[in-house]
Amino acid sequence: MDKVDIIIPAYKPDHKFLTLMKRLEHQSVPINQIIVMNTEQKYFDRLIYGTSFQKDYHNIIVKHLSKREFDHGKTRNMGVQRSDADYFVMMTQDAVPADEYVVEELLKQLHNEHVAVAYARQLANEGSSEIERYTREFNYPDQTVVKTKADLDKYGVKTFFCSNVCAAYNRKIFDELGGFVKHTIFNEDMIYAARAIEAGYGVAYAAQAKVYHSHDLGYMEQLHRNFDLGVSQAQHPEIFGVYPSESEGIRYVRQLIRHLNGAGLKRKIPHLILQSGFKYIGYWCGKHYGRLPRRLVIAMSSSKEYWK
């Protein structure tokens, strides 16, 4: 039987984290251990205070970090180092499995020894806006696909698309490729996927592995997030300089406008255009962060500690 661990970076976890724990307990594939890389112990202690959390979950290891210590790549690598499983699944604290087959469906893809990573389909949470719901459908369709170097002409930068919201990794290949980039503000999953593709491995999108995960972010939240995205791309021109992502963003906005028109939701188009403007400003500034004053860089980033 496959030995699989779950690794979850956490910061200020809430009720969704507890729901995630319950859903993981009932997966069709038994979980060996759950490794939580938690930033700031006080927030975790606050969540589980007065509960039977420690009695209920005997296979959980919690490692506490300070906010200054956290890094998207390094922290996840530290979690992997605590695992001796053949496969591990990276998740975020707010991703909730849609059923008991998420891990099983991811592992099915990894049984192909040429697949380095398999990521799950993300569904919009109940009550999400139409724009957020369409965004999930655009990025996570209902067809499984394995992407390889041969698909670069077809998919461009989306060949490297992968999400650690919920993604399973072959540990042997992970170690061979050197793990996640050690210091990054964002995109550690996509950078790893690009390296795997370039090394001749496949990146699988497992449409039958489904988790609920979505965010209706405000304009400034979108700006900050896309600033960090732009920074990560600027720092890895060997990937994003060769296969730029701007054209994919334009295609998304055009298709979403058509969708809103067809759904009788024209009133939402001005909001979409404004939202897209904030995204682009953040992204453009992030791509050119080297030209900006340091104070402005820190103000625009959602990862203040990264710059310290």
Side-chain angles (χ1 to χ4, degrees), residues 125-152:
N125 292 314
E126 185 178 353
S128 294
S129 69
E130 185 63 25
I131 290 176
E132 183 63 15
R133 190 173 300 279
Y134 182 85
T135 300
R136 297 293 139 181
E137 293 173 359
F138 180 86
N139 288 323
Y140 303 95
D142 59 3
Q143 293 296 317
T144 293
V145 64
V146 178
K147 299 172 289 184
T148 69
K149 190 182 289 189
D151 295 306
L152 284 167

Side-chain angles (χ1 to χ4, degrees), residues 131 134 250-266 268-270 272-273 276:
I131 290 176
Y134 182 85
I250 293 170
R251 186 172 77 90
Y252 156 74
V253 173
R254 285 176 175 170
Q255 289 192 194
L256 181 48
I257 288 175
R258 284 198 293 269
H259 170 76
L260 293 174
N261 263 321
L265 296 171
K266 291 183 179 180
K268 294 185 179 293
I269 293 177
L272 168 64
I273 293 172
S276 300

